[in-house]
Every structure is written in structure tokens, then in C-alpha cells.
Amino acid sequence: MENSTVVVTGAGGAIGGALTEAFADDGATVFAGVHSDEGQFDDRDGVEAMRVDARDEFDVEYLMEDAAGTGEIDLVVPCAGVFHGDPGEQRLAEEGYAAFDDEYRTNARGVFVAVKEALPHLADDARVLVPSGSITQDAKPGYGGYAVSKAAAEAVARQFAAEIEQAVGVVDPGVVASDLTGGQGRDPADVVGLFRWAATALGTDDLDGERVGLAEWKRATR
């Protein structure tokens, strides 16, 4: 990651924040899109934080242009996500239209916006890592529009993988403790290595259009 340029949207969240810190520690310059600027990265070397609504293409366009001011972008991680319900309790049929629309706009359209606006600035060997979860593969009751929107985000990733030269893959870190999970799950710091591996060591053919998770990472690094 030394001297690379990384963009993370949703950098104020659990996974986004952990990755921003880790990539900066690895020597990258990280352009961190945060929904509300609370000074999280004010004293952090290697991090340029900007208030960005990940649903807004004009905000994201500005973020990508700012990142490209230092050269081409090497890595994009669209981490912005919302869930307007309680995990395991939000039935799809009972979800409000506004909540469903916002989950889709943030979780699925947000990935589309991030990749689309980054594309003119991506290095030829750049990578895009789209965080996701098992709920997209193994439907369970109580995850409502969140599950639907994350499945759509994976579809966006696969379509970009089929159409652009750069590698686009889905990364599943399992359940990570965050506001979205009610604090349940792994410490975000424990899954940083998975994303580092997907960003640097994983072969392009094994990432592009594919879905990788903890099992693949552990097999490759044990």
C-alpha cells in the first residue's frame, strides 16, 4: 500500500474507519468520505477526510477528483451502509417505503456512484473492494430491505467487473460489530487483514467478479 492512493466512502463507520486507519498505517494516502465531519481523522497522518453523502453523485465526484489530484486512484472501498431496522427483526413486508428506498440508495446505488465516479481516475491495475455479507447468499428472516440492497450491491460489483478493465470484487468479512449489527460481531480491526489481502496479495483473476471472505483469506495465509 506504500505510496498508493485509496478512497473509502462510509469512512466514519466501523469497517470504513478501521480500513482508513490501517491503509494509512501501510503508507497509503487515504481520502476518507465521512457522512458527518466529527474530526475523527483530524490528527491522522495520511488521511484526507471530506464530508460526503455517498448517495450524492456530485459529492462523490468531488471526492474522487480530489483524490486524483495526487495521481491515479489505486483502490476504492465503498463502505457506506445503512439499515433502518433491528437485525433479525425487520420483516420486508413491514418496512416503510422511505426506509427501503434509502437502504437501496445508500447500499446499492452508493456502490454504483463510487465506481462510476472513480472510473475516470483509476489506475490500470486499480482494485475496487465492495464489502458485503452472507445475508445476500443465505436469506434469513428479519433483514428486510437491507438484505435486498446488499444483494443489489453485489450485482453492481459483478456487472462492473464484467465491463471494466480494473478488478472489482466482493469482500465478505462476516458479522462485524457496528451500529448496523447492534454491536454484535467481530472487532473491525480483526477483519482488516482480509481487506489488505484482497487489495494487494490476492490474484486479480481470483478477485475480479468474485466473492471472497474469511475462509479464503485464512487458507491463503496460514
Side-chain angles (χ1 to χ4, degrees):
M1 302 299 294
E2 186 75 28
N3 299 321
S4 62
T5 299
V6 177
V7 178
V8 179
T9 62
I15 295 176
L19 294 179
T20 296
E21 297 275 359
F23 292 146
D25 285 343
D26 292 342
T29 300
V30 184
F31 290 81
V34 295
H35 188 63
S36 58
D37 187 3
E38 297 177 350
Q40 181 177 352
F41 303 111
D42 281 357
D43 300 319
R44 190 65 179 80
D45 290 339
V47 178
E48 300 287 340
M50 181 185 302
R51 187 169 181 173
V52 171
D53 184 342
R55 302 166 299 183
D56 187 318
E57 58 267 33
F58 299 106
D59 274 12
V60 177
E61 178 186 29
Y62 188 77
L63 173 66
M64 298 301 175
E65 288 178 347
D66 195 39
T70 63
E72 294 177 313
I73 298 172
D74 301 294
L75 177 66
V76 177
V77 190
C79 284
V82 296
F83 180 18
H84 297 299
D86 295 320
E89 298 182 13
Q90 182 60 64
R91 293 176 60 84
L92 184 60
E94 297 169 358
E95 185 152 4
Y97 289 104
F100 183 91
D101 288 347
D102 191 51
E103 286 163 349
Y104 195 88
R105 280 192 72 208
T106 305
N107 303 341
R109 187 178 186 274
V111 172
F112 168 68
V113 170
V115 183
K116 181 178 175 65
E117 295 303 332
L119 193 53
H121 313 292
L122 291 179
D124 289 343
D125 60 350
R127 296 186 175 199
V128 179
L129 306 181
V130 178
S132 191
S134 62
I135 194 65
T136 66
Q137 304 287 302
D138 181 18
K140 297 178 182 178
Y143 288 86
Y146 175 77
V148 175
S149 65
K150 294 300 285 185
E154 291 197 13
V156 171
R158 287 192 296 272
Q159 193 63 30
F160 270 121
E163 294 182 356
I164 69 174
E165 295 181 0
Q166 292 82 0
V168 183
V170 173
V171 179
D172 179 3
V175 180
V176 175
S178 69
D179 291 341
L180 301 183
T181 64
Q184 301 299 309
R186 297 174 180 82
D187 188 312
D190 293 340
V191 301
V192 163
L194 166 62
F195 284 86
R196 279 196 181 111
W197 170 72
T200 59
L202 180 62
T204 300
D205 290 342
D206 294 322
L207 174 67
D208 196 28
E210 302 296 331
R211 196 175 194 283
V212 297
L214 295 169
E216 291 84 2
W217 171 47
K218 290 176 180 178
R219 282 198 299 269
T221 57
R222 67 186 175 190

